[in-house]
Amino acid sequence: MNKIFFKDLEKYYDKEIEISGFVENIRNIKWVQFLVLRDSTDRVQVTIEKSEEKNKEMVELVNTLTVESTVKVTGTLKKNENVRLRGMEFIPTKIEVTSESDPELPINIHDKDAQLLDQRLDYRWLDLRNEYNFNIFKIQSYLVKVMREFMYSKDFTEIHTPKLIGAASESGSEVFEVKYFDRKAYLAQSPQFYKQMAIASGFDRVFEVAPVFRAENSNTSRHTTEFTGFDLEFAYIDSYEDVMDFEEELLTYALDKVNVKYGDLIKELYNKELIVPKNKFPRVKLADLYDILEEKYDYKVDEEEKNDLTTEGERLAYRYAMEEFNSEFIFVTDFPKDKRAFYHMRKNDVPQGYDLIYRGVEITTGAQREHRYDVLKKQALEKGLDKDIEFYLEFFKYGCPPHGGFGLGVDRLTMLILDISIKEAMMLFRGPNRLNP
Ligand code: 4AD
Ligand code: MG
């Protein structure tokens, strides 16, 4: 753990130290050799004078060195105003190649657009060496860290629930079936049932950041078959309004933190302004939204399509939210019950839940849950669910506080913050046609 990160090099002027990193660039000119080394934090130039007898061995090594190899270099860091890269150079006494790169790189890592995205993804570990791609995950890491921080500050307990499950938790069509010894198991489509179990267990407030699997055979810019869900559930709520209020607070906190640390970089690399919400997010009922969209933008949809939000409807909802409320977020509520999960609580037959649209794409579905055993059972039967969810219904038999929660797609959120595709927003994308690397 003693590696000196390049971002900290300023502390080591005129001291003999050892530095390690990838060789990003080699310039071999008449009197001198220049290397640019890169680590996860910055770059630094290494300068080797060819004429000096003591450098003979190093000069020979650099003559056959290939870019993207890794090296360990011993020497002294010097200030040098003439060096364009950080006004410093490293004068080596010894260079050791710790790993040699094949001279033929299969993709151009310095120009991501020199090849198709799918070719890049085939060599994702090389693709990620490009700072544009690399920083997506530095930013995502920080985003999840601050969201976690917020959850802990509100006394949530982080839980870990199984991803191998005995029955589909959402709808049967989107579930991956796996062989489980001599029977069938499924990959969890969400931690829904288990986070609710934790509520029934008395945890009051729980969250989980974990993989979610969806057998969706669709190739869109926003769908993937495995993503990271940020899921939470909390007890003693009065209405799903409490859930929306909480999500608003969480996202405002997180975007503010990300903006402070990465706002400039996001502008520079992805040409996108990170806007920290200042007001409450507007809330609109689905039916009203369709009326508004028709009136404002002449957007017409068939009656039967109006029971759910269309892709274009999401996009226009964003436009409306911006124009009317100067908000990039908008909550859509009052979906009809046939389009919502059986576990959403209903009031006058209307599911007490919402979708949150950010920059024109759904990032969350949330709701107050039905916690009354009899009602829940009735709603499940109505949707034709019985045997498979018997175990789940049991959670509500021995006392369970009123509660609600939501699931937020971390990949979707990353994608929308940076204005990139879902394939880029995941370190390793999974889709109908991609299981490797
Ligand atoms: O809307 P979903 O399906 O909701 C649930 O999972 C419920 N059990 C609610 C809950 O509390 N978890 O999924 C939640 C979010 C979506 O809003 C979206 O951001 C993301 O997960 N998501 C996907 N992201 C990428 N690819 C997919 N195929 C996704 N499906 C859902
Ligand atoms: Mg949803």
Side-chain angles (χ1 to χ4, degrees):
M1 297 304 280
N2 290 330
K3 177 188 167 16
I4 296 171
F5 283 111
F6 293 177
K7 70 175 166 54
D8 300 324
L9 278 173
E10 273 87 355
K11 293 185 218 156
Y12 296 92
Y13 279 123
D14 302 317
K15 289 199 187 94
E16 166 144 300
I17 55 171
E18 197 179 276
I19 61 173
S20 291
F22 284 91
V23 178
E24 181 165 288
N25 189 31
I26 305 169
R27 258 195 318 146
N28 207 334
I29 53 181
K30 196 157 182 201
W31 301 109
V32 68
Q33 293 170 323
F34 297 111
L35 306 179
V36 173
L37 302 190
R38 176 189 76 236
D39 76 0
S40 62
T41 62
D42 212 334
R43 292 173 170 74
V44 65
Q45 176 179 303
V46 177
T47 310
I48 306 139
E49 293 285 349
K50 285 183 170 178
S51 58
E52 291 191 30
E53 186 55 29
K54 62 178 193 320
N55 289 350
K56 203 164 157 248
E57 239 175 74
M58 287 195 290
V59 171
E60 270 164 30
L61 182 146
V62 171
N63 281 337
T64 62
L65 186 63
T66 52
V67 286
E68 297 304 316
S69 296
T70 65
V71 290
K72 182 160 99 181
V73 188
T74 312
T76 314
L77 183 70
K78 294 283 177 194
K79 243 197 183 102
N80 183 345
E81 297 304 324
N82 298 322
V83 178
R84 238 197 291 155
L85 183 63
R86 306 175 70 189
M88 60 167 70
E89 62 183 342
F90 197 74
I91 309 299
T93 51
K94 191 176 157 212
I95 302 178
E96 194 186 317
V97 178
T98 47
S99 157
E100 205 176 318
S101 168
D102 195 300
E104 294 296 330
L105 292 173
I107 58 168
N108 183 337
I109 63 177
H110 299 294
D111 180 7
K112 70 179 178 62
D113 299 322
Q115 54 268 309
L116 297 173
L117 177 57
D118 266 295
Q119 290 173 310
R120 285 166 43 196
L121 296 188
D122 286 341
Y123 295 94
R124 189 56 160 165
W125 69 99
L126 296 179
D127 188 39
L128 290 170
R129 293 183 193 180
N130 181 308
E131 67 173 351
Y132 178 97
N133 299 320
F134 178 84
N135 279 297
I136 293 167
F137 303 96
K138 299 296 282 185
I139 295 165
Q140 186 178 69
S141 163
Y142 190 69
L143 169 70
V144 175
K145 170 187 139 82
V146 296
M147 287 171 69
R148 266 208 176 85
E149 253 170 36
F150 185 80
M151 302 307 286
Y152 282 108
S153 79
K154 300 286 180 190
D155 291 312
F156 278 75
T157 301
E158 184 164 9
I159 59 171
H160 306 282
T161 66
K163 303 307 152 205
L164 273 173
I165 56 174
S169 54
E170 302 282 331
S171 72
S173 60
E174 289 178 1
V175 67
F176 283 113
E177 196 179 292
V178 294
K179 199 166 158 298
Y180 194 73
F181 306 111
D182 56 355
R183 47 191 179 124
K184 281 180 200 165
Y186 304 93
L187 296 180
Q189 296 156 289
S190 85
Q192 188 62 41
F193 289 178
Y194 299 116
K195 57 181 184 168
Q196 288 190 262
M197 191 200 84
I199 295 296
S201 306
F203 281 92
D204 284 348
R205 297 176 175 190
V206 295
F207 79 105
E208 175 166 12
V209 190
V212 173
F213 302 92
R214 299 283 167 100
E216 281 174 303
N217 198 353
S218 51
N219 290 292
T220 72
S221 60
R222 59 172 74 177
H223 284 94
T224 161
T225 50
E226 176 178 350
F227 63 93
T228 301
F230 194 100
D231 260 272
L232 60 92
E233 213 70 29
F234 57 106
Y236 302 110
I237 64 170
D238 296 319
S239 132
Y240 71 111
E241 303 254 345
D242 296 335
V243 183
M244 292 195 286
D245 289 344
F246 183 82
E247 180 160 23
E248 214 170 74
E249 222 190 304
L250 166 69
L251 285 169
T252 303
Y253 175 88
L255 291 184
D256 181 47
K257 291 280 179 190
V258 171
N259 188 44
V260 169
K261 191 169 164 86
Y262 285 114
D264 291 343
L265 189 74
I266 291 172
K267 182 88 192 81
E268 183 194 324
L269 285 180
Y270 313 99
N271 195 24
K272 198 77 193 163
E273 204 80 53
L274 184 57
I275 298 162
V276 182
K278 281 183 198 64
N279 304 312
K280 287 189 75 67
F281 306 167
R283 299 167 185 202
V284 61
K285 293 181 176 148
L286 182 65
D288 294 344
L289 179 67
Y290 275 119
D291 287 347
I292 293 165
L293 298 186
E294 176 159 1
E295 189 190 314
K296 275 190 162 313
Y297 313 119
D298 200 28
Y299 180 58
K300 294 189 182 75
V301 280
D302 295 340
E303 274 319 304
E304 66 267 29
E305 265 197 285
K306 284 191 179 170
N307 56 13
D308 209 349
L309 203 44
T310 59
T311 306
E312 180 65 4
E314 288 182 0
R315 213 179 56 76
L316 290 172
Y318 167 49
R319 184 170 160 194
Y320 165 65
M322 282 303 289
E323 287 177 7
E324 206 68 21
F325 305 97
N326 192 26
S327 171
E328 295 189 309
F329 292 89
I330 182 167
F331 285 116
V332 182
T333 65
D334 293 67
F335 285 79
K337 64 181 180 187
D338 58 308
K339 285 289 169 189
R340 298 276 108 167
F342 73 95
Y343 51 79
H344 286 203
M345 181 179 272
R346 296 172 194 166
K347 205 164 154 183
N348 304 325
D349 237 20
V350 180
Q352 300 296 290
Y354 67 89
D355 272 8
L356 177 58
I357 312 300
Y358 173 48
R359 293 183 168 171
V361 178
E362 177 201 323
I363 56 166
T364 294
T365 294
Q368 173 159 15
R369 316 307 187 183
E370 182 48 72
H371 63 284
R372 296 161 297 183
Y373 175 80
D374 295 332
V375 184
L376 186 60
K377 186 170 178 177
K378 192 175 134 272
Q379 291 184 180
L381 287 174
E382 245 175 61
K383 296 241 180 201
L385 300 159
D386 46 29
K387 281 244 154 356
D388 278 354
I389 56 146
E390 257 167 28
F391 79 99
Y392 167 71
L393 294 177
E394 294 280 306
F395 300 162
F396 304 90
K397 248 181 158 170
Y398 310 100
C400 176
H403 63 282
F406 62 80
L408 183 155
V410 170
D411 320 79
R412 284 254 178 107
L413 185 57
T414 309
M415 153 186 128
L416 294 162
I417 289 174
L418 302 181
D419 195 17
I420 57 179
S421 77
I422 194 108
K423 289 186 178 181
E424 294 180 286
M426 304 178 69
M427 183 168 270
L428 291 155
F429 171 73
R430 285 289 178 263
N433 302 317
R434 183 167 290 280
L435 276 171
N436 283 309

